[in-house]
Amino acid sequence: MDTRDYFLILLSILPVIPAGILCLAPMKNHLRYDRKKVVIRLLLVIVVTLPLGALAGLYFHIHLNIVLMLILVINFFVYRRIVTASFVQALSVFFFVCVIISVFSNLAYAIDAVYHPDGSATTPCLVFGLYNLAFCTFGTILLFHLLSKYACFLIDHMQENRIWWITLPVSGLFLIANLYMTPLKYETLHVNNIFKVFVLLQFTIFTMELLLGTIFYHIVKSLLSLSDLRVKTNLMEMQERAYIKQQKYMEENSRIRHDFKHTIRSIQLMAEEGKLDELNRYLKEYVGSLPEKEINVYCKNSALNALLNHYRTEATSRQVEIDYRIELPPSNRTPLSNTEFCSMIGNILENSILAAAAQTEGKKYVTLTLHVEREKELYIVAVNSFDGNPLQKNGRYLSTRKKGGGIGLQSITAVVELHGGIANFHHEGKEFYTDIMIPLPPEQANPDEEEASAK
């Protein structure tokens, strides 16, 4: 075995390491294990696959790109096992990184062609190996922060797999084009202006891939904003319905109070005249005309109160018993925005009610408890009955809405973790539990109190 050629091939496929690091950047919130275990598993895979890949390339004279692709496929399946994101999300990130790495590898080939105009991409070379590793490492450093921030946002918030599938054909075409453009013989690049065109194409593919990623990010941001607007609109409609019901209730009460003095006189006359049967009939009719209280006041947050009343009505219509125990922190220490809070509670209640309503036997019930502990944490606990067969995929619970679509439990977790909290979902028998803890922000002075004290 030619030891020199072996180490040159090994050097040429070392960019798998920065590529793996770049693939993990968007998944920082979706690692199946802690970071130490992830690093250990990746190192074990790299220690095994890279030397074996280099050995296979040397003995069987396999093209470097083919060796690299085989190693990447093996690493992808390992990557898929250490992240909790969906298959298509992992594949989309993987394709994106492969396109970026292929651009830097082709640029390394271009540099090698300058030094060795009579060489070829099939012959291992120290110049190519060093430039390839340097370029790919530079690309990883350049893009790591961007992917860990913006791509991570997409992974956290966009759970609709159909949208992620759209990204694959474009990245796939770029990757195939780059593999096809790898120069088998460097002398080809020195004919006319092919070298300039080759380099220009690499920069074009790199720019277009980043541009398409940016466009995808803004499209998803727009979809999420639209979803957020829809949630706000629904909350306003719920508040409006609650306000109308409350107004109706108050008007009816006002009318009853106005007529009450005439009612008392009529009761007094019937009682004095001894017309007990008439009196009983009159009282039954009167009691039947009294309005039932349609709006319950569970908390001082009007939007949340309207939401709770809405889902109470929804639960009743589905023959589901629902019980609320609501204790909110002071308004100046609320850890979430009103929209985040109502969206999360609405998602929990809708999933719980639908799951309970789907039961074919047994008691159907939902309980929701919001409790402030030691003035430091807000606990949100929901318990609902269900048929005992939860929707799960890859060990994760799915939303009961639209067969796992909608906002989803992952989005609840993302919002909770964004505010430094913990979300846990589990089931025991035919009960499903949602346990959430969110730390409260430091107490802030009320602006009105500050102004009064200043005076």
Side-chain angles (χ1 to χ4, degrees):
M1 181 177 70
D2 190 332
T3 306
R4 179 178 179 277
D5 286 346
Y6 173 78
F7 281 106
L8 287 177
I9 294 174
L10 185 60
L11 177 63
S12 300
I13 58 179
L14 279 180
V16 167
I17 299 174
I21 295 172
L22 202 56
C23 283
L24 289 175
M27 301 293 181
K28 63 181 182 180
N29 298 329
H30 295 270
L31 297 177
R32 197 178 297 274
Y33 315 101
D34 62 63
R35 295 185 181 182
K36 184 178 178 180
K37 290 183 179 179
V38 168
V39 171
I40 292 173
R41 287 168 188 263
L42 284 179
L43 285 176
L44 287 174
V45 173
I46 289 170
V47 167
V48 173
T49 57
L50 293 191
L52 289 178
L55 194 62
L58 182 64
Y59 268 105
F60 299 104
H61 303 287
I62 304 173
H63 192 283
L64 189 60
N65 279 349
I66 297 176
V67 173
L68 195 58
M69 289 306 297
L70 290 174
I71 293 173
L72 286 174
V73 168
I74 295 171
N75 279 268
F76 172 74
F77 286 106
V78 175
Y79 172 64
R80 178 70 188 91
R81 295 298 303 169
I82 62 177
V83 299
T84 59
S86 67
F87 173 81
V88 66
Q89 287 177 320
L91 190 61
S92 180
V93 171
F94 182 77
F95 269 32
F96 180 88
V97 172
C98 283
V99 172
I100 299 300
I101 295 299
S102 70
V103 167
F104 288 112
S105 291
N106 276 351
L107 290 175
Y109 279 122
I111 297 293
D112 192 26
V114 173
Y115 285 95
H116 306 97
D118 297 328
S120 70
T122 58
T123 305
C125 175
L126 181 61
V127 173
F128 167 75
L130 292 175
Y131 272 101
N132 190 26
L133 183 59
F135 284 172
C136 292
T137 303
F138 171 75
T140 299
I141 296 172
L142 182 69
L143 297 178
F144 186 86
H145 175 71
L146 294 176
L147 291 185
S148 65
K149 182 178 180 180
Y150 298 106
C152 182
F153 173 86
L154 296 177
I155 297 293
D156 289 345
H157 294 87
M158 178 44 65
Q159 308 301 326
E160 186 57 62
N161 286 338
R162 288 176 297 178
I163 295 178
W164 284 100
W165 281 111
I166 297 173
T167 66
L168 296 182
V170 178
S171 294
L173 287 174
F174 283 159
L175 183 59
I176 292 171
N178 254 359
L179 293 175
Y180 184 76
M181 281 192 289
T182 300
L184 295 179
K185 292 185 178 180
Y186 291 160
E187 61 186 24
T188 308
L189 295 178
H190 296 281
V191 177
N192 295 325
N193 291 319
I194 292 181
F195 184 88
K196 293 180 180 178
V197 172
F198 178 75
V199 173
L200 180 62
L201 282 173
Q202 296 310 307
F203 280 106
T204 302
I205 289 175
F206 179 76
T207 303
M208 289 185 67
E209 183 73 354
L210 290 183
L211 182 62
L212 289 172
T214 304
I215 292 172
F216 180 67
Y217 171 80
H218 285 290
I219 289 174
V220 170
K221 282 272 287 185
S222 299
L223 290 174
L224 292 173
S225 297
L226 184 62
S227 176
D228 185 55
L229 181 61
R230 192 178 294 116
V231 169
K232 289 180 180 179
T233 303
N234 289 339
L235 288 174
M236 290 178 66
E237 289 175 353
M238 290 178 192
Q239 285 180 282
E240 183 182 14
R241 287 196 295 270
Y243 175 75
I244 291 172
K245 288 180 181 179
Q246 189 71 55
Q247 283 292 108
K248 181 181 177 183
Y249 174 73
M250 291 173 64
E251 289 172 1
E252 289 178 348
N253 270 330
S254 178
R255 177 182 58 80
I256 290 171
R257 284 195 301 271
H258 180 268
D259 296 339
F260 189 64
K261 59 182 180 181
H262 303 295
T263 301
I264 291 297
R265 287 175 184 171
S266 299
I267 291 173
Q268 184 182 14
L269 287 174
M270 283 185 277
E272 289 175 353
E273 294 175 4
K275 299 177 181 179
L276 297 181
D277 291 337
E278 264 186 66
L279 178 59
N280 284 331
R281 232 178 1 257
Y282 182 81
L283 288 173
K284 285 181 182 179
E285 290 176 1
Y286 181 76
V287 171
S289 68
L290 293 175
E292 295 183 1
K293 187 176 182 181
E294 295 177 307
I295 300 295
N296 290 326
V297 179
Y298 299 106
C299 60
K300 294 181 180 180
N301 185 316
S302 58
L304 180 60
N305 198 67
L307 189 78
L308 295 174
N309 275 281
H310 170 77
Y311 282 108
R312 182 201 65 184
T313 304
E314 183 73 17
T316 303
S317 68
R318 294 176 180 270
Q319 289 80 50
V320 176
E321 292 184 14
I322 192 163
D323 180 41
Y324 298 138
R325 300 162 194 175
I326 309 299
E327 178 192 353
L328 295 181
S331 58
N332 62 343
R333 297 194 65 193
T334 301
L336 306 174
S337 69
N338 213 29
T339 302
E340 287 177 324
F341 199 30
C342 291
S343 177
M344 183 170 63
I345 297 298
N347 186 51
I348 292 171
L349 286 175
E350 185 161 357
N351 282 325
S352 300
I353 292 169
L354 288 177
Q359 288 177 244
T360 55
E361 58 181 18
K363 183 180 178 181
K364 304 177 181 181
Y365 59 89
V366 174
T367 63
L368 174 69
T369 302
L370 275 68
H371 174 64
V372 177
E373 185 72 23
R374 302 190 304 273
E375 297 185 357
K376 292 182 178 180
E377 300 105 8
L378 171 65
Y379 286 86
I380 302 173
V381 180
V383 182
N384 66 271
S385 60
F386 76 118
D387 59 10
N389 299 308
L391 290 174
Q392 288 181 293
K393 184 177 181 182
N394 299 325
R396 294 180 301 171
Y397 291 106
L398 300 178
S399 167
T400 55
R401 295 181 294 169
K402 302 177 183 177
K403 298 182 180 180
I407 296 175
L409 302 183
Q410 275 188 305
S411 292
I412 293 177
T413 304
V415 171
V416 171
E417 290 179 350
L418 183 64
H419 294 276
I422 301 170
N424 180 42
F425 309 97
H426 64 282
H427 73 282
E428 294 178 10
K430 293 189 175 183
E431 281 191 328
F432 189 87
Y433 298 87
T434 299
D435 299 315
I436 294 171
M437 185 282 292
I438 307 175
L440 299 182
E443 187 171 359
Q444 298 177 356
N446 190 308
D448 294 334
E449 293 178 358
E450 285 187 348
E451 185 179 348
S453 61
K455 290 180 179 180

